[in-house]
Amino acid sequence: MAGPEGVRELVLTGWQVVPVLCSRGGPVRLPREAAPLGRRLPYRRARGEGPPGPTPLLDQVRTAGWSLEFSGWQQDYLGDFLLGLAAAQALAETGDHDLVYRGRRSGLMRRCSLPVDVVHHDGPASVSTRTGDPVRVIAGPPLRLRLPGESGPPPHAPLWLDHDDQDVVVHSALPMRYYLQVEQALGVRLRHDHAPAPTFSAAATVRPRHVVFVATTSSHDVKQYGYRGFAAIGAAIAERAGTDLEITVIVDRRYVAEARAAFAGVAEPVVLAGIDAADCVEVFAGAELVIGNDTGLTHLAALTAGADGGGPEVIGLYARHSYRKWTTGAARHHAVSAPLAQMLALADGDLWLDDVDGDLWGTNATLGVLPPDVIAEFACLLKGERCSGTRR
């Protein structure tokens, strides 16, 4: 990869800090000496073990039902909501309850793999059973989960390290953190080994050479790769693959003209402005590749299941959040990360966007440090194509 000194390196796995890091999605298993900071799981899940036994909470949620209530950023932001649904998945595995979703994302939730009835509601969102006086579970702010009987602030959802002889299975993605936290609170082994966030169904199937760029973000000033940057990635992929691309760009309404101008001379893109998340599912299902900012729609692309059960390869671009934490953990959800995002992954920490001093961190804290040709090369590798004309 092209770093500040012109060093070119492509790293597909590992936790070391390099100028730019390309990381494949899916389960992470590392030797002990290479494991990041985290909390040791109190049982060896990778070897088939589970918690020591049922807790009183399990009996409560089975008999009285449960209500998972979203608060904080999980209430307001799509990405936090999608990752937090893993807690609903965990609770849904406790019994054969009828479930209902109440919230404003009704169109999207009608596509969800969770078996929920959907009720549109403009107030706080929740997923709950219909029975009795349910146990309230509160998910939020984005890294916290509170269960009945706990006093004080909700506990932090840590990165879990599952010791398996000489190796360590690293559960760093937020959905698996929530899932394992609920598993331990219930005291019984749940069924998912990895990536437990629910998926969203679509009727479309993958169209070869269709690339979607997610150019929306909740923090346009600091988490936006830029329309010219996405256009440069598209041009570099087309050059390496030796073929034209069908390009779709998802943008905010006010940036349509800017997006079209950026792609002039590269392709005639389909520009989708202000499209609803539920409709984005069909767009993603028809894509071979999705590349996007670290934002909710990029997460949704990784959770999309097309008519054949598959979905696109997804590359998220990270600068100011951990690329190992803020992800679905799905095998087709990959990352390209700036140095600050790598350091946050190593330390398992997070900085609020306002905490990052741009003058201090310079380009290491920006998406601008990620070269388009490196992202294009990584994309071609993920698609199994030869990257002609690229030094490897």
Side-chain angles (χ1 to χ4, degrees), residues 29 32 39-52 160-171 176 180 183-184 189-190 192-193:
R29 180 185 289 267
R32 286 194 231 179
R39 184 180 298 179
R40 181 169 178 162
L41 199 65
Y43 45 94
R44 294 191 177 189
R45 202 174 193 274
R47 299 184 66 179
E49 297 179 7
W160 295 105
L161 301 175
D162 185 6
H163 178 214
D164 183 20
D165 295 330
Q166 298 303 312
D167 291 335
V168 173
V169 178
V170 180
H171 295 297
M176 198 62 185
L180 290 176
E183 178 177 87
Q184 292 172 76
R189 173 72 180 261
L190 300 176
H192 280 78
D193 291 324

Side-chain angles (χ1 to χ4, degrees), residues 204-217:
T205 56
V206 171
R207 298 197 301 274
R209 301 183 297 104
H210 183 200
V211 179
V212 175
F213 293 104
V214 177
T216 60
T217 175

Side-chain angles (χ1 to χ4, degrees), residues 207-246:
R207 298 197 301 274
R209 301 183 297 104
H210 183 200
V211 179
V212 175
F213 293 104
V214 177
T216 60
T217 175
S218 58
S219 303
H220 196 271
D221 293 339
V222 295
K223 291 175 64 178
Q224 173 63 273
Y225 189 67
Y227 304 104
R228 292 190 182 279
F230 285 121
I233 296 171
I237 292 174
E239 179 183 3
R240 284 157 172 76
T243 182
D244 293 334
L245 302 177
E246 176 189 352

Side-chain angles (χ1 to χ4, degrees), residues 116-157:
V116 293
D117 292 330
V118 176
V119 176
H120 187 85
H121 174 59
D122 289 329
S126 66
V127 176
S128 63
T129 62
R130 291 186 180 275
T131 58
D133 183 17
V135 175
R136 293 179 65 213
V137 181
I138 301 174
L143 301 183
R144 299 179 185 273
L145 182 72
R146 183 162 64 231
L147 297 166
E150 295 176 343
S151 59
H156 174 69

Side-chain angles (χ1 to χ4, degrees), residues 68-72 74-77 81 101-106 119-127:
L68 178 69
E69 302 170 15
F70 296 93
S71 61
Q74 286 185 325
Q75 174 66 41
D76 298 325
Y77 294 100
F81 172 75
Y101 163 81
R102 295 179 177 86
R104 65 177 184 267
R105 305 187 192 279
S106 53
V119 176
H120 187 85
H121 174 59
D122 289 329
S126 66
V127 176

Side-chain angles (χ1 to χ4, degrees), residues 265-278:
V266 176
E268 184 62 38
V270 174
V271 178
L272 302 177
I275 182 173
D276 186 77

